[in-house]
Amino acid sequence: MDHLTIDINCDVGEGVGNEADILPFISSCNIACGGHAGDSETMGHVVALAKRHHVKVGSHPSYPDRMNFGREVMHISNHELSKSIKKQLADFDEVLKQQNVSLHHIKAHGALYNQTAKDEDLANVFLSAIDGYKDRAILYVPFDSVIAKIGEERGFKIWFEAFADRNYNRDLSLVSRKENNALIENPEAVLAHILPMIKKQEVLTIEEERHHIQAKTFCVHGDTVSALKILMYLSEKLPQNQVHLNS
């Protein structure tokens, strides 16, 4: 059987402090750059770890909302949001330059990620704010999303992303974190969740329906309690199922 290759990414630099443990098991990371979490010190620390483990580095901008960890929709003007996103990326870029590390990708965080997936105006605000990076960075976005369509039209290189530790609704939106079944924390359940996405391009939703999905990169949230257990389990079981990480 042919071997398949995927990317596994984690959101890091968010104050959990488990980066040294999880980075050896992933191939790319999304580093908080001051919006929902993070500062120049944490960015520098995680970038250095990623460099040591040969993990691709991405920026993880968000609503400037530390109180809600960027996971609530923030009522902010387009101008202020754009200004914040540009500052987050500029601050992160400065850290990368100091350590001679290239920016591999950009991935919005939390509510901003979810809203740009369906809100055309907000997607355009976000894409305009990061436009200066489109020739040097890939954009991680959900499959069949508004931001994916507009991003491709505007010349961004797109990687579709799916979530290994989150359940899906039938419209391919993520089950709200306010629901008890939002997270998948059991490593065996995570494997069962992502293998059909990798091999059959389909996901089983909470309605027990199978829907088409495409993904090149799969996210395990760094703040999921069992993140390390999940990643260690996947590192063992994915190769047994002819799936390997990108180098």
Side-chain angles (χ1 to χ4, degrees), residues 55-123:
V55 173
K56 298 181 287 290
V57 170
S59 62
H60 200 34
S62 72
Y63 281 121
D65 183 14
R66 289 174 177 261
M67 180 178 297
N68 296 302
F69 200 66
R71 284 179 173 159
E72 298 291 334
V73 175
M74 188 176 187
H75 299 290
I76 182 174
S77 71
N78 289 345
H79 173 75
E80 287 301 317
L81 178 59
S82 178
K83 181 180 175 181
S84 175
I85 292 168
K86 288 178 179 178
K87 183 179 188 307
Q88 291 176 57
L89 290 175
D91 290 347
F92 189 66
D93 213 22
E94 185 61 33
V95 172
L96 294 182
K97 290 176 182 176
Q98 291 170 4
Q99 300 202 32
N100 194 29
V101 172
S102 298
L103 178 67
H104 175 261
H105 65 275
I106 298 170
K107 172 187 168 181
H109 166 80
L112 184 60
Y113 181 97
N114 294 330
Q115 288 299 107
T116 55
K118 59 187 179 182
D119 185 319
E120 183 174 335
D121 290 338
L122 192 62

Side-chain angles (χ1 to χ4, degrees), residues 127 141-142 144-154 158 160:
L127 291 168
V141 289
D144 200 27
S145 60
V146 167
I147 192 170
K149 179 178 181 294
I150 299 175
E152 288 180 328
E153 291 172 351
R154 293 179 61 157
I158 300 293
F160 293 134

Side-chain angles (χ1 to χ4, degrees), residues 104-187:
H104 175 261
H105 65 275
I106 298 170
K107 172 187 168 181
H109 166 80
L112 184 60
Y113 181 97
N114 294 330
Q115 288 299 107
T116 55
K118 59 187 179 182
D119 185 319
E120 183 174 335
D121 290 338
L122 192 62
N124 273 306
V125 170
F126 182 77
L127 291 168
S128 293
I130 67 171
D131 189 73
Y133 298 84
K134 71 180 176 185
D135 292 331
R136 33 181 300 223
I138 296 162
L139 183 61
Y140 285 11
V141 289
F143 171 67
D144 200 27
S145 60
V146 167
I147 192 170
K149 179 178 181 294
I150 299 175
E152 288 180 328
E153 291 172 351
R154 293 179 61 157
F156 284 85
K157 183 178 180 181
I158 300 293
W159 277 16
F160 293 134
E161 178 183 39
F163 290 84
D165 58 356
R166 294 290 303 275
N167 273 313
Y168 280 83
N169 298 304
R170 62 163 55 99
D171 65 355
L172 297 186
S173 64
L174 297 176
V175 174
S176 169
R177 284 180 175 269
K178 296 175 182 178
E179 303 297 328
N180 292 331
N181 58 349
L183 295 174
I184 307 172
E185 298 179 301
N186 177 275

